[in-house]
Amino acid sequence: MNHTKVSYFILAAYLDPGPLRFLYFSLVLVLLLLIVFCNVLLIAVICVTRSLHEPMFLFLCSLFANELLGSSGLFPFLLLQILADVHRVSAPLCFLQVFILYLYASVQLSNLAVMSYDRYLAICCPLQYKSLMTSSRTGTLLVLVWFYPLLAVMVLVSLTSSLQRCGNIIHGVFCDNYSIVKLACSDTTFINVYGLAILCLLVVFPALLILYSYSSILRVCLCGSRQTRHKAVSTCTPHLASLLNFSFGCVFQIVQSRFDMSGVPGVLRVLLSVYYLTCQPLFNPVLYGLNLTKVRSLCGRMFCGES
């Protein structure tokens, strides 16, 4: 196929739902509404409650806003594709989806890394915490969490969109950068090198920061008092659960895009490929809303009039 004629992509992983089409549509729509409700609720609670204007809750607010971003890049698209008879997407819309989803994943990991650093300071340097995590430093960290992924993903998508493509079939239910690059019939050396560079910047560096933070927290807990261990468990458990859940979904998506997964049932492949984009945005607000006492009590007051 001549690259000048590739104006749309075909998504080959969709299965024919038959009479269950409207049931799947309803389930996805309900999931989207739940995600929007939970994340908007917690963002509103944090924003309007002055006592929650602390670094940990501001990072949480950023996390919930990112969940809304990721959901906006997938769910409306899924809803349209479930109802469609022909599963294809225009090239500009495909690249827009790649931009949103890659920005979501990059910001998510960066945000989780900054949150782990915040917990490290709170547990390992409690007396210096307020002087180290000032409002200006908190703002700087939030800007970094969003700015570098935004810039890196913009360059990545612009490089991918400029490639000459000799095919238009994507073996997935949404657009991803690696699948589009595999369709290229022009030289991809530069974009591969750039991909490795942003892998170090947006994945390896945050992962090292997380490992350093939690190794330091573990060392302090082993040598510290019962109160220190209790504080570490209560504040780090939701963060670790969120991190592990997100990592599992991302690892499967990476493995699926680079290796032959024909031995895995089609339905299971589809569900696992969208896992980190569908479960994480609902998992985080429920997890933090239930585990953080301040947030839970404020939500209870709003809906039940609890004191």
Side-chain angles (χ1 to χ4, degrees):
M1 183 181 296
N2 191 300
H3 71 271
T4 58
K5 296 181 180 179
V6 180
S7 59
Y8 63 89
F9 295 97
I10 296 173
L11 301 169
Y14 279 93
L15 307 172
D16 182 14
L20 297 177
R21 174 173 298 178
F22 291 103
L23 174 62
Y24 294 152
F25 179 88
S26 301
L27 291 174
V28 173
L29 180 60
V30 169
L31 182 58
L32 173 60
L33 294 176
L34 279 174
I35 288 171
V36 172
F37 173 77
C38 293
N39 284 281
V40 170
L41 171 65
L42 292 179
I43 290 173
V45 167
I46 293 171
C47 288
V48 303
T49 308
R50 194 175 291 272
S51 62
L52 296 184
H53 292 179
E54 302 172 5
M56 181 178 72
F57 294 106
L58 294 177
F59 294 139
L60 275 178
C61 193
S62 172
L63 192 72
F64 299 145
N66 190 46
E67 309 288 12
L68 293 175
L69 172 69
S71 299
S72 70
L74 178 70
F75 280 94
F77 182 84
L78 276 182
L79 291 172
L80 290 174
Q81 292 297 327
I82 289 172
L83 295 179
D85 294 320
V86 179
H87 304 292
R88 69 181 190 180
V89 56
S90 66
L93 184 59
C94 191
F95 289 119
L96 176 62
Q97 185 177 50
V98 169
F99 172 75
I100 293 175
L101 297 185
Y102 276 60
L103 178 61
Y104 159 74
S106 303
V107 170
Q108 189 83 350
L109 188 56
S110 299
N111 210 131
L112 290 171
V114 168
M115 290 172 68
S116 71
Y117 174 69
D118 175 70
R119 291 301 84 205
Y120 156 73
L121 291 180
I123 294 168
C124 300
C125 311
L127 298 179
Q128 295 85 26
Y129 177 76
K130 288 189 176 181
S131 61
L132 292 173
M133 191 58 74
T134 60
S135 57
S136 61
R137 177 167 292 184
T138 301
T140 301
L141 289 173
L142 285 173
V143 170
L144 292 177
V145 161
W146 285 87
F147 176 74
Y148 282 113
L150 177 65
L151 184 61
V153 174
M154 282 179 64
V155 174
L156 178 68
V157 173
S158 65
L159 291 174
T160 304
S161 62
S162 64
L163 293 173
Q164 297 178 357
R165 297 179 295 276
C166 297
N168 67 342
I169 298 177
I170 295 175
H171 297 281
V173 294
F174 58 88
C175 298
D176 70 280
N177 192 73
Y178 187 73
S179 296
I180 298 174
V181 171
K182 286 196 297 184
L183 298 174
C185 51
S186 56
D187 184 29
T188 60
T189 302
F190 182 76
I191 194 171
N192 289 333
V193 172
Y194 179 77
L196 289 175
I198 65 169
L199 180 69
C200 293
L201 176 67
L202 300 179
V203 177
V204 175
F205 179 72
L208 290 175
L209 179 59
I210 291 169
L211 288 174
Y212 172 78
S213 299
Y214 275 104
S215 61
S216 300
I217 291 172
L218 179 61
R219 186 169 60 251
V220 168
C221 289
L222 291 176
C223 303
S225 63
R226 179 181 296 181
Q227 183 180 3
T228 302
R229 289 193 292 271
H230 176 74
K231 179 182 179 181
V233 170
S234 62
T235 60
C236 294
T237 298
H239 180 265
L240 278 173
S242 175
L243 180 64
L244 292 173
N245 185 60
F246 179 70
S247 300
F248 168 77
C250 288
V251 166
F252 182 84
Q253 177 61 21
I254 293 170
V255 169
Q256 179 180 244
S257 65
R258 284 159 175 76
F259 298 98
D260 181 18
M261 302 292 288
S262 57
V264 180
V267 174
L268 183 60
R269 285 205 310 270
V270 170
L271 290 176
L272 289 176
S273 68
V274 298
Y275 178 84
Y276 81 107
L277 294 166
T278 55
C279 292
Q280 187 78 358
L282 186 60
F283 181 79
N284 277 340
V286 171
L287 183 71
Y288 285 105
L290 292 176
N291 279 278
L292 296 179
T293 307
K294 286 185 178 181
V295 176
R296 187 174 65 246
S297 61
L298 285 167
C299 289
R301 246 183 276 171
M302 288 179 64
F303 287 99
C304 307
E306 295 179 2
S307 58

